[in-house]
Amino acid sequence: DQAPVLVTDRGEISTTLTSRELTTIPTLGQNVTQLELLAPGTVRNTYDIAGAENPQGGQANNTNGLLFGFTNRQIDGADDMDAVLGIQVVNPPPDSLDQMKVTTSNYDAEFGRSGGAFVSYTTKSGSNQFHGTVFEFFRNTDLNARNFFDRQRAPFQDNDFGGIIGG
């Protein structure tokens, strides 16, 4: 493994996840907003936003002591924030992303409106040929560990099927 390149032209503190990391790090329901928790200073909000107000199912994360509404999000440079609730509008599937970058400090002035963090998603570019993937993420009671305080494992069954096609 190579040491990360030292960035000398800016003083930002950021965490970048590549396409491979986005698709191999396990998340519940293929929700990339859960991966923001890998950035230093980011914690999950103590309450979730109601499903009727958050149809994409984005997770509300607080960064650097500020609520989730102070996090600015962009997909390929386009704004991805609900102006009223301060939540993410489009929650892209991990297979469609080339990289995800969470900047928690010293970001450029062009990324204003960000008190806590700036999250930037870059989607994969197209090609001249059709390609795609099909997946199933499977979890059940036999694969889960028992809670230390319980005598037996709680029943659990989760099958997440999906696919991506592009060109």
Side-chain angles (χ1 to χ4, degrees), residues 16-24 27 30-36 74-77 80 88 90-102 119-125 131 133 164:
T16 303
L17 299 174
T18 64
S19 176
R20 179 180 166 99
E21 292 167 330
L22 289 168
T23 55
T24 57
T27 58
Q30 294 291 291
N31 191 341
V32 293
T33 56
Q34 295 172 358
L35 297 175
E36 292 175 19
Q74 291 184 353
I75 297 178
D76 291 334
D80 188 27
Q88 187 167 348
V90 176
N91 192 0
D95 288 335
S96 70
L97 296 176
D98 188 42
Q99 83 172 14
M100 172 182 160
K101 183 176 181 181
V102 181
V119 181
S120 173
Y121 299 99
T122 306
T123 58
K124 293 179 180 176
S125 61
H131 57 278
T133 58
I164 300 288

mmCIF file of all heavy atoms in Angstrom, residues 16-24 27 30-36 74-77 80 88 90-102 119-125 131 133 164:
data_model
loop_
_atom_site.group_PDB
_atom_site.id
_atom_site.type_symbol
_atom_site.label_atom_id
_atom_site.label_comp_id
_atom_site.label_asym_id
_atom_site.label_seq_id
_atom_site.Cartn_x
_atom_site.Cartn_y
_atom_site.Cartn_z
ATOM 1 N N THR A 16 -11.821 10.527 1.497
ATOM 2 C CA THR A 16 -12.271 10.166 0.159
ATOM 3 C C THR A 16 -12.421 8.655 0.070
ATOM 4 O O THR A 16 -11.518 7.916 0.432
ATOM 5 C CB THR A 16 -11.272 10.659 -0.912
ATOM 6 O OG1 THR A 16 -11.113 12.072 -0.772
ATOM 7 C CG2 THR A 16 -11.760 10.340 -2.300
ATOM 8 N N LEU A 17 -13.579 8.219 -0.403
ATOM 9 C CA LEU A 17 -13.843 6.796 -0.624
ATOM 10 C C LEU A 17 -13.923 6.537 -2.120
ATOM 11 O O LEU A 17 -14.642 7.234 -2.844
ATOM 12 C CB LEU A 17 -15.151 6.381 0.044
ATOM 13 C CG LEU A 17 -15.206 6.549 1.559
ATOM 14 C CD1 LEU A 17 -16.593 6.238 2.084
ATOM 15 C CD2 LEU A 17 -14.180 5.659 2.222
ATOM 16 N N THR A 18 -13.184 5.544 -2.586
ATOM 17 C CA THR A 18 -13.176 5.198 -4.004
ATOM 18 C C THR A 18 -14.372 4.319 -4.353
ATOM 19 O O THR A 18 -15.105 3.864 -3.477
ATOM 20 C CB THR A 18 -11.882 4.445 -4.356
ATOM 21 O OG1 THR A 18 -11.866 3.206 -3.630
ATOM 22 C CG2 THR A 18 -10.648 5.264 -4.019
ATOM 23 N N SER A 19 -14.542 4.071 -5.634
ATOM 24 C CA SER A 19 -15.643 3.230 -6.112
ATOM 25 C C SER A 19 -15.578 1.845 -5.480
ATOM 26 O O SER A 19 -16.602 1.290 -5.070
ATOM 27 C CB SER A 19 -15.592 3.124 -7.636
ATOM 28 O OG SER A 19 -16.578 2.262 -8.100
ATOM 29 N N ARG A 20 -14.402 1.300 -5.384
ATOM 30 C CA ARG A 20 -14.240 -0.035 -4.785
ATOM 31 C C ARG A 20 -14.654 -0.034 -3.315
ATOM 32 O O ARG A 20 -15.337 -0.930 -2.844
ATOM 33 C CB ARG A 20 -12.811 -0.507 -4.949
ATOM 34 C CG ARG A 20 -12.547 -1.860 -4.328
ATOM 35 C CD ARG A 20 -11.094 -2.272 -4.519
ATOM 36 N NE ARG A 20 -10.769 -3.366 -3.670
ATOM 37 C CZ ARG A 20 -10.734 -4.631 -4.055
ATOM 38 N NH1 ARG A 20 -11.023 -4.929 -5.300
ATOM 39 N NH2 ARG A 20 -10.410 -5.584 -3.205
ATOM 40 N N GLU A 21 -14.230 0.989 -2.573
ATOM 41 C CA GLU A 21 -14.588 1.073 -1.158
ATOM 42 C C GLU A 21 -16.094 1.285 -0.974
ATOM 43 O O GLU A 21 -16.698 0.722 -0.064
ATOM 44 C CB GLU A 21 -13.815 2.214 -0.491
ATOM 45 C CG GLU A 21 -12.329 1.940 -0.405
ATOM 46 C CD GLU A 21 -11.520 3.166 -0.040
ATOM 47 O OE1 GLU A 21 -11.927 4.291 -0.384
ATOM 48 O OE2 GLU A 21 -10.459 2.990 0.588
ATOM 49 N N LEU A 22 -16.704 2.081 -1.843
ATOM 50 C CA LEU A 22 -18.133 2.347 -1.743
ATOM 51 C C LEU A 22 -18.973 1.091 -1.951
ATOM 52 O O LEU A 22 -20.038 0.940 -1.367
ATOM 53 C CB LEU A 22 -18.551 3.410 -2.758
ATOM 54 C CG LEU A 22 -18.078 4.833 -2.459
ATOM 55 C CD1 LEU A 22 -18.288 5.723 -3.667
ATOM 56 C CD2 LEU A 22 -18.785 5.387 -1.248
ATOM 57 N N THR A 23 -18.493 0.187 -2.804
ATOM 58 C CA THR A 23 -19.272 -1.016 -3.090
ATOM 59 C C THR A 23 -18.915 -2.189 -2.180
ATOM 60 O O THR A 23 -19.685 -3.136 -2.083
ATOM 61 C CB THR A 23 -19.095 -1.449 -4.554
ATOM 62 O OG1 THR A 23 -17.700 -1.620 -4.833
ATOM 63 C CG2 THR A 23 -19.692 -0.425 -5.493
ATOM 64 N N THR A 24 -17.780 -2.149 -1.503
ATOM 65 C CA THR A 24 -17.386 -3.290 -0.672
ATOM 66 C C THR A 24 -17.601 -3.079 0.821
ATOM 67 O O THR A 24 -17.708 -4.049 1.556
ATOM 68 C CB THR A 24 -15.904 -3.663 -0.913
ATOM 69 O OG1 THR A 24 -15.086 -2.529 -0.648
ATOM 70 C CG2 THR A 24 -15.689 -4.152 -2.328
ATOM 71 N N THR A 27 -23.149 -1.669 4.026
ATOM 72 C CA THR A 27 -24.105 -0.695 4.547
ATOM 73 C C THR A 27 -25.484 -1.337 4.537
ATOM 74 O O THR A 27 -25.754 -2.211 3.716
ATOM 75 C CB THR A 27 -24.143 0.582 3.694
ATOM 76 O OG1 THR A 27 -24.489 0.232 2.356
ATOM 77 C CG2 THR A 27 -22.823 1.319 3.710
ATOM 78 N N GLN A 30 -27.886 -0.427 1.173
ATOM 79 C CA GLN A 30 -27.115 0.291 0.155
ATOM 80 C C GLN A 30 -27.221 1.808 0.322
ATOM 81 O O GLN A 30 -27.375 2.550 -0.640
ATOM 82 C CB GLN A 30 -27.586 -0.118 -1.248
ATOM 83 C CG GLN A 30 -27.313 -1.560 -1.595
ATOM 84 C CD GLN A 30 -25.824 -1.788 -1.751
ATOM 85 O OE1 GLN A 30 -25.227 -1.299 -2.695
ATOM 86 N NE2 GLN A 30 -25.213 -2.480 -0.828
ATOM 87 N N ASN A 31 -27.141 2.279 1.542
ATOM 88 C CA ASN A 31 -27.304 3.689 1.867
ATOM 89 C C ASN A 31 -25.935 4.329 2.065
ATOM 90 O O ASN A 31 -25.290 4.130 3.091
ATOM 91 C CB ASN A 31 -28.157 3.822 3.129
ATOM 92 C CG ASN A 31 -28.594 5.231 3.395
ATOM 93 O OD1 ASN A 31 -28.030 6.176 2.878
ATOM 94 N ND2 ASN A 31 -29.606 5.370 4.220
ATOM 95 N N VAL A 32 -25.477 5.130 1.081
ATOM 96 C CA VAL A 32 -24.131 5.703 1.151
ATOM 97 C C VAL A 32 -24.000 6.787 2.211
ATOM 98 O O VAL A 32 -22.887 7.105 2.621
ATOM 99 C CB VAL A 32 -23.673 6.261 -0.221
ATOM 100 C CG1 VAL A 32 -23.493 5.158 -1.227
ATOM 101 C CG2 VAL A 32 -24.593 7.325 -0.729
ATOM 102 N N THR A 33 -25.122 7.345 2.690
ATOM 103 C CA THR A 33 -25.003 8.353 3.739
ATOM 104 C C THR A 33 -24.462 7.755 5.038
ATOM 105 O O THR A 33 -23.914 8.477 5.857
ATOM 106 C CB THR A 33 -26.361 9.046 4.006
ATOM 107 O OG1 THR A 33 -27.340 8.063 4.326
ATOM 108 C CG2 THR A 33 -26.807 9.840 2.806
ATOM 109 N N GLN A 34 -24.578 6.429 5.207
ATOM 110 C CA GLN A 34 -23.996 5.777 6.379
ATOM 111 C C GLN A 34 -22.468 5.838 6.348
ATOM 112 O O GLN A 34 -21.817 5.826 7.396
ATOM 113 C CB GLN A 34 -24.446 4.323 6.463
ATOM 114 C CG GLN A 34 -25.930 4.164 6.682
ATOM 115 C CD GLN A 34 -26.368 2.717 6.573
ATOM 116 O OE1 GLN A 34 -25.582 1.826 6.293
ATOM 117 N NE2 GLN A 34 -27.644 2.484 6.792
ATOM 118 N N LEU A 35 -21.898 5.930 5.156
ATOM 119 C CA LEU A 35 -20.445 5.950 5.026
ATOM 120 C C LEU A 35 -19.835 7.287 5.435
ATOM 121 O O LEU A 35 -18.624 7.387 5.612
ATOM 122 C CB LEU A 35 -20.044 5.599 3.590
ATOM 123 C CG LEU A 35 -20.441 4.192 3.148
ATOM 124 C CD1 LEU A 35 -20.103 3.978 1.681
ATOM 125 C CD2 LEU A 35 -19.767 3.148 4.007
ATOM 126 N N GLU A 36 -20.663 8.315 5.606
ATOM 127 C CA GLU A 36 -20.158 9.591 6.106
ATOM 128 C C GLU A 36 -19.583 9.436 7.515
ATOM 129 O O GLU A 36 -18.742 10.216 7.939
ATOM 130 C CB GLU A 36 -21.266 10.639 6.131
ATOM 131 C CG GLU A 36 -21.742 11.065 4.770
ATOM 132 C CD GLU A 36 -22.930 12.016 4.858
ATOM 133 O OE1 GLU A 36 -23.146 12.618 5.933
ATOM 134 O OE2 GLU A 36 -23.640 12.136 3.858
ATOM 135 N N GLN A 74 -23.377 17.737 -2.733
ATOM 136 C CA GLN A 74 -23.469 17.940 -4.178
ATOM 137 C C GLN A 74 -23.217 16.622 -4.894
ATOM 138 O O GLN A 74 -22.405 15.815 -4.443
ATOM 139 C CB GLN A 74 -22.448 18.969 -4.661
ATOM 140 C CG GLN A 74 -22.733 20.374 -4.214
ATOM 141 C CD GLN A 74 -21.755 21.375 -4.784
ATOM 142 O OE1 GLN A 74 -20.772 21.010 -5.433
ATOM 143 N NE2 GLN A 74 -22.002 22.643 -4.553
ATOM 144 N N ILE A 75 -23.923 16.430 -6.014
ATOM 145 C CA ILE A 75 -23.676 15.300 -6.906
ATOM 146 C C ILE A 75 -23.205 15.866 -8.235
ATOM 147 O O ILE A 75 -23.944 16.617 -8.883
ATOM 148 C CB ILE A 75 -24.941 14.441 -7.108
ATOM 149 C CG1 ILE A 75 -25.381 13.821 -5.786
ATOM 150 C CG2 ILE A 75 -24.679 13.352 -8.141
ATOM 151 C CD1 ILE A 75 -26.641 12.994 -5.881
ATOM 152 N N ASP A 76 -21.989 15.558 -8.608
ATOM 153 C CA ASP A 76 -21.378 16.080 -9.835
ATOM 154 C C ASP A 76 -21.495 17.600 -9.929
ATOM 155 O O ASP A 76 -21.753 18.162 -10.991
ATOM 156 C CB ASP A 76 -21.987 15.426 -11.076
ATOM 157 C CG ASP A 76 -21.609 13.967 -11.212
ATOM 158 O OD1 ASP A 76 -20.546 13.569 -10.691
ATOM 159 O OD2 ASP A 76 -22.374 13.211 -11.846
ATOM 160 N N GLY A 77 -21.357 18.284 -8.807
ATOM 161 C CA GLY A 77 -21.389 19.739 -8.776
ATOM 162 C C GLY A 77 -22.776 20.341 -8.659
ATOM 163 O O GLY A 77 -22.909 21.556 -8.502
ATOM 164 N N ASP A 80 -27.593 19.113 -3.883
ATOM 165 C CA ASP A 80 -28.366 17.925 -3.496
ATOM 166 C C ASP A 80 -28.915 18.095 -2.085
ATOM 167 O O ASP A 80 -28.817 17.213 -1.257
ATOM 168 C CB ASP A 80 -27.480 16.678 -3.593
ATOM 169 C CG ASP A 80 -28.267 15.396 -3.392
ATOM 170 O OD1 ASP A 80 -29.473 15.379 -3.678
ATOM 171 O OD2 ASP A 80 -27.666 14.406 -2.922
ATOM 172 N N GLN A 88 -30.571 15.322 2.423
ATOM 173 C CA GLN A 88 -30.180 14.970 1.065
ATOM 174 C C GLN A 88 -31.419 14.622 0.243
ATOM 175 O O GLN A 88 -32.294 13.897 0.692
ATOM 176 C CB GLN A 88 -29.230 13.780 1.124
ATOM 177 C CG GLN A 88 -28.624 13.414 -0.180
ATOM 178 C CD GLN A 88 -27.471 12.457 0.019
ATOM 179 O OE1 GLN A 88 -27.009 12.249 1.128
ATOM 180 N NE2 GLN A 88 -26.990 11.889 -1.049
ATOM 181 N N VAL A 90 -31.326 13.358 -3.239
ATOM 182 C CA VAL A 90 -31.049 12.138 -4.000
ATOM 183 C C VAL A 90 -29.993 11.342 -3.258
ATOM 184 O O VAL A 90 -28.913 11.852 -2.967
ATOM 185 C CB VAL A 90 -30.558 12.468 -5.429
ATOM 186 C CG1 VAL A 90 -30.191 11.209 -6.175
ATOM 187 C CG2 VAL A 90 -31.606 13.261 -6.182
ATOM 188 N N ASN A 91 -30.307 10.095 -2.937
ATOM 189 C CA ASN A 91 -29.375 9.199 -2.270
ATOM 190 C C ASN A 91 -28.887 8.199 -3.321
ATOM 191 O O ASN A 91 -29.543 7.197 -3.573
ATOM 192 C CB ASN A 91 -30.080 8.489 -1.110
ATOM 193 C CG ASN A 91 -29.117 7.779 -0.206
ATOM 194 O OD1 ASN A 91 -27.913 7.795 -0.430
ATOM 195 N ND2 ASN A 91 -29.631 7.148 0.815
ATOM 196 N N PRO A 92 -27.735 8.463 -3.961
ATOM 197 C CA PRO A 92 -27.317 7.626 -5.089
ATOM 198 C C PRO A 92 -26.895 6.225 -4.647
ATOM 199 O O PRO A 92 -26.352 6.047 -3.558
ATOM 200 C CB PRO A 92 -26.124 8.390 -5.671
ATOM 201 C CG PRO A 92 -25.589 9.174 -4.520
ATOM 202 C CD PRO A 92 -26.761 9.499 -3.652
ATOM 203 N N PRO A 93 -27.145 5.214 -5.489
ATOM 204 C CA PRO A 93 -26.670 3.866 -5.160
ATOM 205 C C PRO A 93 -25.147 3.800 -5.250
ATOM 206 O O PRO A 93 -24.543 4.459 -6.092
ATOM 207 C CB PRO A 93 -27.334 2.981 -6.220
ATOM 208 C CG PRO A 93 -27.784 3.889 -7.294
ATOM 209 C CD PRO A 93 -27.919 5.251 -6.713
ATOM 210 N N PRO A 94 -24.511 3.023 -4.386
ATOM 211 C CA PRO A 94 -23.043 2.963 -4.366
ATOM 212 C C PRO A 94 -22.431 2.524 -5.695
ATOM 213 O O PRO A 94 -21.348 2.984 -6.056
ATOM 214 C CB PRO A 94 -22.723 1.949 -3.276
ATOM 215 C CG PRO A 94 -23.950 1.799 -2.478
ATOM 216 C CD PRO A 94 -25.091 2.189 -3.340
ATOM 217 N N ASP A 95 -23.113 1.643 -6.452
ATOM 218 C CA ASP A 95 -22.557 1.169 -7.726
ATOM 219 C C ASP A 95 -22.483 2.258 -8.779
ATOM 220 O O ASP A 95 -21.755 2.126 -9.757
ATOM 221 C CB ASP A 95 -23.397 0.006 -8.265
ATOM 222 C CG ASP A 95 -23.207 -1.262 -7.460
ATOM 223 O OD1 ASP A 95 -22.142 -1.401 -6.839
ATOM 224 O OD2 ASP A 95 -24.123 -2.100 -7.438
ATOM 225 N N SER A 96 -23.234 3.335 -8.614
ATOM 226 C CA SER A 96 -23.235 4.410 -9.606
ATOM 227 C C SER A 96 -22.172 5.466 -9.327
ATOM 228 O O SER A 96 -21.970 6.365 -10.125
ATOM 229 C CB SER A 96 -24.606 5.085 -9.660
ATOM 230 O OG SER A 96 -24.834 5.829 -8.480
ATOM 231 N N LEU A 97 -21.479 5.354 -8.201
ATOM 232 C CA LEU A 97 -20.531 6.393 -7.795
ATOM 233 C C LEU A 97 -19.093 6.018 -8.104
ATOM 234 O O LEU A 97 -18.679 4.877 -7.936
ATOM 235 C CB LEU A 97 -20.661 6.663 -6.297
ATOM 236 C CG LEU A 97 -21.997 7.232 -5.834
ATOM 237 C CD1 LEU A 97 -22.018 7.355 -4.318
ATOM 238 C CD2 LEU A 97 -22.254 8.571 -6.473
ATOM 239 N N ASP A 98 -18.318 7.020 -8.539
ATOM 240 C CA ASP A 98 -16.886 6.852 -8.757
ATOM 241 C C ASP A 98 -16.127 7.179 -7.475
ATOM 242 O O ASP A 98 -15.147 6.532 -7.152
ATOM 243 C CB ASP A 98 -16.419 7.748 -9.900
ATOM 244 C CG ASP A 98 -14.988 7.487 -10.297
ATOM 245 O OD1 ASP A 98 -14.611 6.298 -10.365
ATOM 246 O OD2 ASP A 98 -14.239 8.449 -10.526
ATOM 247 N N GLN A 99 -16.597 8.210 -6.759
ATOM 248 C CA GLN A 99 -15.981 8.531 -5.472
ATOM 249 C C GLN A 99 -16.930 9.366 -4.630
ATOM 250 O O GLN A 99 -17.855 9.995 -5.129
ATOM 251 C CB GLN A 99 -14.647 9.245 -5.632
ATOM 252 C CG GLN A 99 -14.706 10.727 -5.852
ATOM 253 C CD GLN A 99 -13.326 11.374 -5.794
ATOM 254 O OE1 GLN A 99 -12.304 10.722 -5.839
ATOM 255 N NE2 GLN A 99 -13.306 12.678 -5.698
ATOM 256 N N MET A 100 -16.666 9.347 -3.338
ATOM 257 C CA MET A 100 -17.399 10.158 -2.366
ATOM 258 C C MET A 100 -16.352 10.839 -1.488
ATOM 259 O O MET A 100 -15.444 10.186 -0.977
ATOM 260 C CB MET A 100 -18.300 9.265 -1.519
ATOM 261 C CG MET A 100 -18.965 9.948 -0.361
ATOM 262 S SD MET A 100 -19.933 8.719 0.554
ATOM 263 C CE MET A 100 -20.089 9.530 2.109
ATOM 264 N N LYS A 101 -16.481 12.146 -1.342
ATOM 265 C CA LYS A 101 -15.505 12.895 -0.559
ATOM 266 C C LYS A 101 -16.239 13.683 0.518
ATOM 267 O O LYS A 101 -17.159 14.446 0.219
ATOM 268 C CB LYS A 101 -14.723 13.846 -1.463
ATOM 269 C CG LYS A 101 -13.640 14.622 -0.763
ATOM 270 C CD LYS A 101 -12.861 15.457 -1.763
ATOM 271 C CE LYS A 101 -11.744 16.220 -1.092
ATOM 272 N NZ LYS A 101 -11.016 17.052 -2.059
ATOM 273 N N VAL A 102 -15.849 13.471 1.773
ATOM 274 C CA VAL A 102 -16.422 14.189 2.907
ATOM 275 C C VAL A 102 -15.345 15.119 3.441
ATOM 276 O O VAL A 102 -14.342 14.679 3.985
ATOM 277 C CB VAL A 102 -16.890 13.217 4.010
ATOM 278 C CG1 VAL A 102 -17.508 13.994 5.161
ATOM 279 C CG2 VAL A 102 -17.866 12.200 3.463
ATOM 280 N N VAL A 119 -20.100 17.307 1.477
ATOM 281 C CA VAL A 119 -20.049 15.960 0.914
ATOM 282 C C VAL A 119 -20.227 16.073 -0.593
ATOM 283 O O VAL A 119 -21.209 16.641 -1.071
ATOM 284 C CB VAL A 119 -21.144 15.052 1.514
ATOM 285 C CG1 VAL A 119 -21.052 13.655 0.932
ATOM 286 C CG2 VAL A 119 -21.036 15.014 3.024
ATOM 287 N N SER A 120 -19.281 15.521 -1.330
ATOM 288 C CA SER A 120 -19.298 15.582 -2.784
ATOM 289 C C SER A 120 -19.316 14.171 -3.357
ATOM 290 O O SER A 120 -18.448 13.357 -3.030
ATOM 291 C CB SER A 120 -18.063 16.332 -3.288
ATOM 292 O OG SER A 120 -17.986 16.265 -4.691
ATOM 293 N N TYR A 121 -20.318 13.898 -4.194
ATOM 294 C CA TYR A 121 -20.416 12.613 -4.884
ATOM 295 C C TYR A 121 -20.046 12.820 -6.341
ATOM 296 O O TYR A 121 -20.515 13.766 -6.975
ATOM 297 C CB TYR A 121 -21.842 12.057 -4.825
ATOM 298 C CG TYR A 121 -22.362 11.797 -3.445
ATOM 299 C CD1 TYR A 121 -23.204 12.694 -2.808
ATOM 300 C CD2 TYR A 121 -22.015 10.637 -2.763
ATOM 301 C CE1 TYR A 121 -23.689 12.457 -1.542
ATOM 302 C CE2 TYR A 121 -22.492 10.391 -1.488
ATOM 303 C CZ TYR A 121 -23.330 11.300 -0.888
ATOM 304 O OH TYR A 121 -23.802 11.052 0.362
ATOM 305 N N THR A 122 -19.217 11.933 -6.878
ATOM 306 C CA THR A 122 -18.873 11.951 -8.291
ATOM 307 C C THR A 122 -19.350 10.650 -8.895
ATOM 308 O O THR A 122 -18.953 9.570 -8.449
ATOM 309 C CB THR A 122 -17.343 12.094 -8.492
ATOM 310 O OG1 THR A 122 -16.895 13.249 -7.782
ATOM 311 C CG2 THR A 122 -16.999 12.217 -9.954
ATOM 312 N N THR A 123 -20.223 10.743 -9.915
ATOM 313 C CA THR A 123 -20.758 9.536 -10.534
ATOM 314 C C THR A 123 -19.794 9.011 -11.587
ATOM 315 O O THR A 123 -18.941 9.740 -12.088
ATOM 316 C CB THR A 123 -22.131 9.799 -11.182
ATOM 317 O OG1 THR A 123 -21.997 10.837 -12.151
ATOM 318 C CG2 THR A 123 -23.152 10.201 -10.133
ATOM 319 N N LYS A 124 -19.959 7.751 -11.913
ATOM 320 C CA LYS A 124 -19.123 7.135 -12.943
ATOM 321 C C LYS A 124 -19.485 7.707 -14.302
ATOM 322 O O LYS A 124 -20.642 8.034 -14.564
ATOM 323 C CB LYS A 124 -19.336 5.617 -12.965
ATOM 324 C CG LYS A 124 -18.824 4.927 -11.720
ATOM 325 C CD LYS A 124 -19.081 3.441 -11.778
ATOM 326 C CE LYS A 124 -18.570 2.758 -10.525
ATOM 327 N NZ LYS A 124 -18.889 1.334 -10.502
ATOM 328 N N SER A 125 -18.488 7.833 -15.163
ATOM 329 C CA SER A 125 -18.749 8.352 -16.503
ATOM 330 C C SER A 125 -19.271 7.240 -17.399
ATOM 331 O O SER A 125 -19.081 6.055 -17.123
ATOM 332 C CB SER A 125 -17.477 8.949 -17.094
ATOM 333 O OG SER A 125 -16.480 7.962 -17.191
ATOM 334 N N HIS A 131 -23.245 -1.871 -19.948
ATOM 335 C CA HIS A 131 -22.664 -2.724 -18.917
ATOM 336 C C HIS A 131 -23.546 -2.616 -17.674
ATOM 337 O O HIS A 131 -24.352 -1.699 -17.557
ATOM 338 C CB HIS A 131 -21.222 -2.305 -18.588
ATOM 339 C CG HIS A 131 -21.108 -0.880 -18.155
ATOM 340 N ND1 HIS A 131 -21.050 0.164 -19.059
ATOM 341 C CD2 HIS A 131 -21.088 -0.308 -16.936
ATOM 342 C CE1 HIS A 131 -20.970 1.306 -18.410
ATOM 343 N NE2 HIS A 131 -20.992 1.050 -17.104
ATOM 344 N N THR A 133 -24.442 -4.495 -13.428
ATOM 345 C CA THR A 133 -24.203 -5.457 -12.361
ATOM 346 C C THR A 133 -25.542 -5.830 -11.734
ATOM 347 O O THR A 133 -26.495 -5.049 -11.753
ATOM 348 C CB THR A 133 -23.298 -4.879 -11.256
ATOM 349 O OG1 THR A 133 -23.899 -3.695 -10.723
ATOM 350 C CG2 THR A 133 -21.914 -4.560 -11.768
ATOM 351 N N ILE A 164 -27.719 -2.480 -11.550
ATOM 352 C CA ILE A 164 -27.354 -1.201 -12.169
ATOM 353 C C ILE A 164 -27.069 -1.488 -13.644
ATOM 354 O O ILE A 164 -26.401 -2.473 -13.978
ATOM 355 C CB ILE A 164 -26.085 -0.598 -11.520
ATOM 356 C CG1 ILE A 164 -26.290 -0.357 -10.034
ATOM 357 C CG2 ILE A 164 -25.648 0.659 -12.225
ATOM 358 C CD1 ILE A 164 -27.195 0.780 -9.701
#
